[in-house]
């Protein structure tokens, strides 16, 4: 199953060592089981998005390790892919960039013909073959329609998807240079958040399945919001997001929670409804 990771240390820029490839339980080892790509997104000091991604397993990619070690940003987004839709190409690897924002998704949304028709000319935003990038394009269009309000754009887009498209899962993270949004919908896959308070210890997180491992000395004395597909350490303050809950971390790290999708999807899919490769991607790596 694909893994999501998001981090906001706003308003502070931090250097972070993502996915320590030398660790015994690192992404390098575990990517043998999630072999279809890995990606890291963050922002330069001037707000320019930076994306490093490759449609190969992280353990095969030395450049990925170098990029992950050097990244510095206020917000980060990361994704490890087990492909369900779209070939093993760079254009189908998360995260995606549109209008200076970065996005990653875990789950399956079907009915792409209907979504393409609904997007109309905004389908030009889509460069690859995935359902994820099409979902992002709809969010981008709706954000534009709401005057740049990303929260309103996400809400409008996912409500339309929930009402009109067959859906198995739609967990997502979206980041700008200063903000982070995360959605869990419905209750198919887990998505956790941690409001991390300043401590005397470095930020060190390792997912229970080992797919994402994060270390930062800069955040030892600063608060942060961490979003992950699984609790990444023994901190008792990890909380499971509610189905339909949208979390927003603002530029001053004010965190708000809104239940934007209180009801299940109109066309809820089960594993048995999915194509074999899509079903395999949703089960892979689950213990």
């Amino acid at each position: 199953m694909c893994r999501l990771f998001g981090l906001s240390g706003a308003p502070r820029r931090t250097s972070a060592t993502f996915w320590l490839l030398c660790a015994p339980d690192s992404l390098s080892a575990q990517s043998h089981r999630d072999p279809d790509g890995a990606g890291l997104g963050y922002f330069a000091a001037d707000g320019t998005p930076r994306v490093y991604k490759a449609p190969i397993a992280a353990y095969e990619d030395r450049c990925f390790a170098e990029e992950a070690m050097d990244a510095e940003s206020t917000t980060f987004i990361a994704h490890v892919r087990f492909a369900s839709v779209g070939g093993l190409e760079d254009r189908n690897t998360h995260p995606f960039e549109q209008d200076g924002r970065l996005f990653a998704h875990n789950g399956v949304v079907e009915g792409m013909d209907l979504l393409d028709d609904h997007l109309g000319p905004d389908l030009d935003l889509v460069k690859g073959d995935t359902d994820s990038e099409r979902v992002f394009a709809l969010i981008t269009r709706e954000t534009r329609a709401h005057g740049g309000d990303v929260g309103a754009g996400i809400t409008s887009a996912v409500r339309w998807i929930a009402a009109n498209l067959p859906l198995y899962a739609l967990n997502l993270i979206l980041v700008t240079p200063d903000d982070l949004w995360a959605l869990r919908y419905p209750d198919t896959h887990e998505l956790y958040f941690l409001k991390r308070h300043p401590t005397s210890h470095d930020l060190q997180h390792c997912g229970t399945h080992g797919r994402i491992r994060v270390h930062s000395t800069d955040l030892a004395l600063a608060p942060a919001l961490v979003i992950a597909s699984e609790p990444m350490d023994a901190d008792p303050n990890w909380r499971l997001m509610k189905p339909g809950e949208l979390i927003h971390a603002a530029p001053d790290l004010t965190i708000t929670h809104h239940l934007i999708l209180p009801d299940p999807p109109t066309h809820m899919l089960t594993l048995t409804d999915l194509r074999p490769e899509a079903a395999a991607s949703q089960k892979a790596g689950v213990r």
Side-chain angles (χ1 to χ4, degrees):
M1 185 176 69
C2 299
R3 294 297 184 195
L4 294 172
F5 177 86
L7 171 69
S8 174
R12 174 190 179 110
R13 288 182 64 79
T14 180
S15 59
T17 302
F18 280 77
W19 301 335
L20 301 181
L21 276 71
C22 58
D25 192 24
S26 69
L27 179 70
S28 176
Q30 295 297 334
S31 62
H32 287 267
R33 289 154 53 181
D34 287 295
D36 296 334
L40 171 66
Y42 56 99
F43 295 89
D46 63 0
T48 302
R50 304 293 190 194
V51 176
Y52 185 86
K53 56 185 180 179
I56 60 175
Y59 68 88
E60 296 179 332
D61 192 353
R62 181 182 298 273
C63 294
F64 184 88
E66 294 172 353
E67 188 78 11
M69 296 286 280
D70 293 340
E72 181 177 283
S73 185
T74 301
T75 58
F76 292 88
I77 187 170
H79 184 271
V80 183
R81 186 181 186 219
F82 192 110
S84 61
V85 179
L88 304 187
E89 302 176 55
D90 182 80
R91 63 181 187 154
N92 292 327
T93 306
H94 305 227
F96 303 101
E97 186 270 324
Q98 294 175 13
D99 282 5
R101 308 180 190 103
L102 302 176
F103 173 90
H105 161 237
N106 173 21
V108 176
V109 178
E110 295 191 346
M112 291 301 97
D113 290 345
L114 181 59
L115 179 52
D116 287 353
D117 288 343
H118 186 62
L119 283 169
D122 294 296
L123 187 59
D124 288 344
L125 290 164
V126 179
K127 309 304 179 186
D129 308 311
T130 65
D131 53 343
S132 304
E133 193 180 14
R134 284 165 165 77
V135 169
F136 189 21
L138 184 57
I139 291 172
T140 297
R141 185 184 74 183
E142 293 303 305
T143 298
R144 292 171 177 175
H146 287 82
D149 186 330
V150 177
I154 293 173
T155 300
S156 177
V158 299
R159 284 178 175 171
W160 185 88
I161 290 168
N164 294 280
L165 300 182
L167 170 64
Y168 181 72
L170 183 58
N171 288 1
L172 63 86
I173 297 175
L174 191 156
V175 294
T176 71
D178 301 304
D179 296 80
L180 178 149
W181 289 264
L183 172 72
R184 179 189 179 210
Y185 186 69
D187 60 355
T188 311
H189 294 321
E190 297 175 345
L191 193 62
Y192 292 85
F193 69 93
L194 173 65
K195 299 176 183 178
R196 190 176 189 276
H197 301 289
T199 70
S200 59
H201 305 291
D202 295 355
L203 183 152
Q204 297 193 60
H205 290 311
C206 176
T208 55
H209 300 305
R211 282 158 183 74
I212 299 179
R213 190 177 182 97
V214 184
H215 174 254
S216 172
T217 57
D218 290 357
L219 286 175
L221 302 178
L225 174 69
V226 184
I227 304 289
S229 296
E230 59 202 41
M232 299 185 73
D233 62 9
D235 192 311
N237 294 310
W238 282 100
R239 295 291 182 268
L240 179 65
M241 292 178 62
K242 299 175 183 177
E245 180 180 12
L246 180 67
I247 291 179
H248 174 223
D252 62 355
L253 208 57
T254 298
I255 299 169
T256 56
H257 303 252
H258 296 286
L259 189 64
I260 64 170
L261 289 166
D263 300 315
T266 301
H267 309 287
M268 183 70 197
L269 298 173
T270 67
L271 275 178
T272 57
D273 297 320
L274 302 180
R275 292 171 289 104
E277 61 272 23
S281 75
Q282 300 307 297
K283 294 187 293 184
V286 177
R287 296 179 181 177

